[in-house]
Each structure stands twice: as structure tokens, then as C-alpha cells.
Amino acid sequence: MASVDIETGRIERLFNPRTDGWAEHFCVEDGQIVPLTPIGRVTEYLLQFNQPQSVQERRWLIEAGR
């Protein structure tokens, strides 16, 4: 699958956890998943990783050391 990168307007494939390294495409900052590449951007946008409830849950997990 693929989607349009909102920054470049180009079609980019989605992140594939079976073949892609997570740290190459994403990092976590204050509970938010930050995309680092066009693949990360289209995946984060399409799957809406940073909904407020999800960000808050990640913050709690980080605080708990998980």
C-alpha cells in the first residue's frame, strides 16, 4: 500500500514492519511518534499515530519505564 506524502505530494509506500527498521523511520518525543522519512510521514498520517489519547498513553508508559 501507499499514500501521498503531504509534504512533497509524491506517492510513498507505507512502513512495513517485516522489512523496515522502526528507528530509521520514526522516533518518540514526549509521547509523540515523529516520522523521520517520507515513509514514516505517510504511515503516521494514514494510521493517525498521534491522536491525543494515544500520545497520553505513550507518555504514561514511558513514565512507567515500559
Side-chain angles (χ1 to χ4, degrees):
M1 276 177 66
S3 187
V4 176
D5 181 353
I6 59 173
E7 285 190 20
T8 66
R10 296 180 59 184
I11 295 175
E12 297 287 344
R13 70 176 179 85
L14 298 179
F15 174 78
N16 181 344
R18 293 180 184 207
T19 59
D20 295 326
W22 194 90
E24 179 183 343
H25 298 283
F26 308 99
C27 69
V28 176
E29 293 179 5
D30 193 32
Q32 290 205 16
I33 295 177
V34 178
L36 302 174
T37 64
I39 290 170
R41 266 194 308 273
V42 297
T43 303
E44 186 278 326
Y45 180 79
L46 190 65
L47 298 180
Q48 300 183 20
F49 289 156
N50 292 315
Q51 292 295 314
Q53 182 66 32
S54 298
V55 171
Q56 185 58 51
E57 288 174 9
R58 269 187 228 109
R59 286 178 182 149
W60 290 333
L61 289 169
I62 291 166
E63 287 174 12
R66 297 182 110 190

